[in-house]
Amino acid sequence: MGEFDYTDLLPLGADETEYRLITSEGVRQVEAAGRTFLEVEPEALRLLTETAIHDISHFLRPSHLAQLRKIVDDPESSGNDRFVALDLLKNASISAGGVLPMCQDTGTAIVMGKRGRHVLTDGRDAEHVSRGVYDAYTRLNLRYSQMAPLTMWDEKNTGDNLPAQIELYAEDPHGHPDEYKLLFMAKGGGSANKSFLYQETKAVLNEKRMMAFLEEKIRSLGTAACPPYHLAVVVGGTSAEYALKTAKYASARYLDSIPTEGSPSGHGFRDLEMEAKVFELTQKLGIGAQFGGKYFCHDVRVIRLPRHGASCPVAIAVSCSADRQALAKITPEGVFLEKLETDPARFLPETTDEHLSDDVIAVDLNRPMPEILAELTKYPVKTRLSLTGPLVVARDIAHAKIAELLDNGGEMPQYLKDHAVYYAGPAKTPEGYASGSFGPTTAGRMDSYVGRFQAAGGSMVMLAKGNRSKQVTEACQEHGGFYLGSIGGPAARLAQDCIKKVEVLEYPELGMEAVWKIEVVDFPAFIVVDDKGDDFFTDRTGPVLTIGRR
């Protein structure tokens, strides 16, 4: 029996974050019972939350932007790596104007706080934080994505993006009893859907088995969540849910300051050597920044946690190109928020996208569908395109309604026969703009519809982000269709530069899930699946790693 030895599971080091002062109001020190307390008014929590949601919707960390610039400057980057990175830098510069959010999926609001024992509030902290979330989403050009369950099967959009996920802990952050430390995140569906838990055993706890396991699982992430990713891998955990939560925090770099070595007391630690090896693996996959290359990931975090001897959870999570999080603190000096980059244009290079990738094929979407198909069939997968003309926009609920229409003996809508279909859902349209942020959604969610729709003459050209299943490749080969991949991430740039007109075609009651018709100019895309049975991603499914060889 050992002596009692307490340790935090994830002991954080010193906080090196650069903060900016939001307000010095709403906080004051009070004396009671011979101690000094920090009293925090509800308005301070509300204002901090509203400001944080605004900032993470429009600004990124300088370190993230520097990593994008690194891709542009790296001579080993593929042309497509550099093109995607440059487009994301342009998008960040537009978003920083504070009008168009960086991504159309403005996410679920997630807030984690640690309140010191000498911090006094009215006890309704979660309510005040929620009010700040409400104010941000209803006042800004953000999207409402939260669905309230009315029955097991029926849902209704809440219309304000509430509820938020709020977790508050009684803990002296960094040993300061008079501080309140918080982490704000906005997690979109694409990256949230790429959080995975695997229940493994001790058999995976050796380098050869672990690297083979991780290669398989990292490949399966695909590109639907808009790489380059910040990838987090957590091995172990006192429970499955703790492993997953740790992976989420690690992907936000919240745990960067934990120890880099383990100890008999059982705290978690970062394995820097494994981080380097897994990062090297991601660079060899060939997937790159969405359309082939080296930069599938910006970086990797690998965290080892204690575990029950009969259990070995492994969790994987990513933060996507909309790398939205910020730290905050409330101290006797005031209310502070992490200082994000308000001038991302300084990371833009002098070179233009014409210098960064192969020739671009202009595609006129005003032509009849048979002519568009005849043009696309001339080019191989990976070809970069520039689309101009009309697109029909439809995603999950609209596809379900059209499928129901076909089930009941109805006809495929003519608009899906005549036009390419863009899987997307817009954020709110700012005054004076043709569109709100309007980037692509994950294509795979519509895979089950493709065969039926193409057999009925619809969805012959599809546009979205991420890889597709084999059934889509087979349907395109059988019916002569194409799937075009759009860059995931630059929703603000697409709204400002490419989308010139937006109108509702059908199902207006569905809000952003309605069927839309939009006019685009020079909309960037790549051929991912063609009419010959070729899929850009299929030649990237074999092993690339051999342990022990250089």
Side-chain angles (χ1 to χ4, degrees):
M1 181 183 297
E3 295 183 1
F4 174 75
D5 181 17
Y6 174 77
T7 180
D8 289 339
L9 276 176
L10 294 167
L12 295 176
D15 183 7
E16 305 293 340
T17 306
E18 184 178 0
Y19 292 96
R20 67 183 182 92
L21 177 67
I22 302 300
T23 182
S24 56
E25 298 181 359
V27 296
R28 68 185 183 114
Q29 290 181 298
V30 295
E31 302 290 333
R35 290 185 285 176
T36 302
F37 293 87
L38 178 66
E39 188 174 54
V40 178
E41 297 293 333
E43 173 60 16
L45 286 169
R46 188 212 65 78
L47 176 63
L48 174 59
T49 302
E50 181 184 14
T51 307
I53 296 298
H54 169 276
D55 281 16
I56 64 178
S57 297
H58 291 281
F59 308 130
L60 291 159
R61 286 171 167 161
S63 58
H64 175 85
L65 293 163
Q67 288 173 311
L68 286 172
R69 176 59 188 266
K70 177 183 176 182
I71 296 173
V72 176
D73 293 337
D74 186 351
E76 294 184 355
S77 297
S78 70
N80 286 331
D81 275 340
R82 293 194 291 273
F83 176 70
V84 169
L86 181 61
D87 219 37
L88 291 171
L89 284 171
K90 291 178 181 178
N91 187 71
S93 299
I94 293 169
S95 177
V99 178
L100 294 165
M102 68 184 72
C103 180
Q104 80 287 344
D105 184 349
T106 48
T108 296
I110 300 173
V111 184
M112 185 272 287
K114 296 178 179 179
R115 191 176 76 183
R117 68 186 186 278
H118 288 175
V119 176
L120 301 178
T121 70
D122 65 359
R124 296 156 54 198
D125 301 28
E127 179 182 340
H128 307 316
V129 169
S130 292
R131 181 57 196 240
V133 171
Y134 172 89
D135 289 344
Y137 276 88
T138 54
R139 294 173 182 174
L140 301 172
N141 298 311
L142 308 183
R143 196 175 85 184
Y144 308 142
S145 300
Q146 304 309 307
M147 306 298 292
L150 305 180
T151 69
M152 180 61 75
W153 321 120
D154 299 318
E155 299 176 312
K156 182 180 180 181
N157 194 299
T158 61
D160 54 17
N161 217 54
L162 291 176
Q165 178 180 319
I166 302 170
E167 300 178 6
L168 302 175
Y169 300 90
E171 176 182 328
D172 289 354
H174 293 102
H176 295 290
D178 60 349
E179 286 193 2
Y180 205 148
K181 300 290 286 287
L182 300 106
L183 169 66
F184 293 90
M185 303 178 70
K187 199 72 172 172
S191 61
N193 292 344
K194 296 302 177 182
S195 300
F196 294 100
L197 174 73
Y198 305 96
Q199 294 286 16
E200 299 301 311
T201 69
K202 182 174 172 55
V204 79
L205 293 182
N206 64 77
E207 183 178 334
K208 182 176 181 179
R209 289 288 299 275
M210 180 60 73
M211 292 300 288
F213 170 85
L214 290 178
E215 180 178 342
E216 175 191 354
K217 304 307 180 187
I218 291 171
R219 281 184 183 280
S220 72
L221 291 174
T223 61
C226 307
Y229 298 132
H230 298 280
L231 173 67
V233 177
V234 173
V235 179
T238 48
S239 65
E241 62 271 22
Y242 193 81
L244 279 168
K245 183 181 295 188
T246 301
K248 177 177 288 186
Y249 292 155
S251 72
R253 278 83 72 213
Y254 177 73
L255 302 176
D256 277 8
S257 64
I258 67 171
T260 55
E261 294 181 345
S263 74
S265 61
H267 62 71
F269 66 92
R270 284 180 63 187
D271 189 323
L272 302 183
E273 183 179 353
M274 274 294 289
E275 289 181 1
K277 290 178 179 179
V278 176
F279 183 57
E280 182 182 5
L281 165 63
T282 67
Q283 293 189 315
K284 291 181 177 180
L285 294 177
I287 299 172
Q290 305 188 29
F291 300 102
K294 174 181 176 182
Y295 283 98
F296 188 53
C297 294
H298 284 303
D299 49 38
V300 175
R301 298 294 183 267
V302 177
I303 293 181
R304 181 68 158 89
L305 292 177
R307 68 183 185 94
H308 185 286
S311 176
C312 186
V314 178
I316 295 177
V318 301
S319 184
C320 66
S321 293
D323 186 44
R324 294 172 295 199
Q325 55 265 324
L327 296 171
K329 64 180 180 179
I330 303 175
T331 73
E333 287 72 40
V335 180
F336 297 85
L337 182 63
E338 182 176 354
K339 188 176 181 180
L340 303 180
E341 180 58 63
T342 58
D343 183 25
R346 70 186 180 89
F347 291 92
L348 282 167
E350 293 299 324
T351 48
T352 64
D353 54 346
E354 285 77 13
H355 298 108
L356 296 176
S357 62
D358 300 328
D359 293 339
V360 182
I361 305 301
V363 178
D364 183 3
L365 298 176
N366 291 290
R367 291 182 294 174
M369 181 56 66
E371 293 185 18
I372 296 173
L373 297 173
E375 177 70 15
L376 292 175
T377 197
K378 299 176 183 177
Y379 306 104
V381 294
K382 197 178 177 181
T383 300
R384 182 181 159 201
L385 308 174
S386 177
L387 310 178
T388 297
L391 288 168
V392 166
V393 179
R395 47 181 267 162
D396 306 66
I397 298 178
H399 274 69
K401 283 186 170 291
I402 294 168
E404 184 179 0
L405 177 69
L406 296 178
D407 289 341
N408 293 329
E411 294 286 327
M412 171 63 64
Q414 193 64 36
Y415 53 73
L416 276 187
K417 295 181 179 180
D418 293 342
H419 302 294
V421 58
Y422 179 37
Y423 302 158
K428 283 184 284 190
T429 300
E431 185 176 353
Y433 284 73
S435 166
S437 293
F438 211 153
T441 198
T442 303
R445 299 205 305 271
M446 269 56 74
D447 282 5
S448 62
Y449 300 103
V450 174
R452 285 190 64 202
F453 282 23
Q454 289 190 343
S459 295
M460 296 305 296
V461 178
M462 301 160 286
L463 176 66
K465 67 175 181 177
N467 45 307
R468 307 297 295 264
S469 63
K470 184 179 179 181
Q471 69 187 110
V472 173
T473 304
E474 293 173 345
C476 287
Q477 183 176 19
E478 179 181 355
H479 300 291
F482 290 83
Y483 165 56
L484 311 180
S486 178
I487 300 172
R493 194 190 77 77
L494 293 176
Q496 175 177 283
D497 299 341
C498 301
I499 300 174
K500 303 303 180 182
K501 183 179 179 182
V502 177
E503 60 181 312
V504 176
L505 278 183
E506 197 168 10
Y507 310 124
E509 70 276 8
L510 299 181
M512 69 94 176
E513 291 271 7
V515 176
W516 306 79
K517 185 178 181 181
I518 66 175
E519 295 283 340
V520 301
V521 174
D522 295 330
F523 194 106
F526 295 79
I527 298 177
V528 177
V529 176
D530 65 13
D531 57 348
K532 305 170 189 66
D534 298 320
D535 181 346
F536 167 73
F537 291 102
T538 55
D539 62 350
R540 288 163 173 78
T541 56
V544 299
L545 184 73
T546 303
I547 299 296
R549 292 179 58 187
R550 289 285 183 184

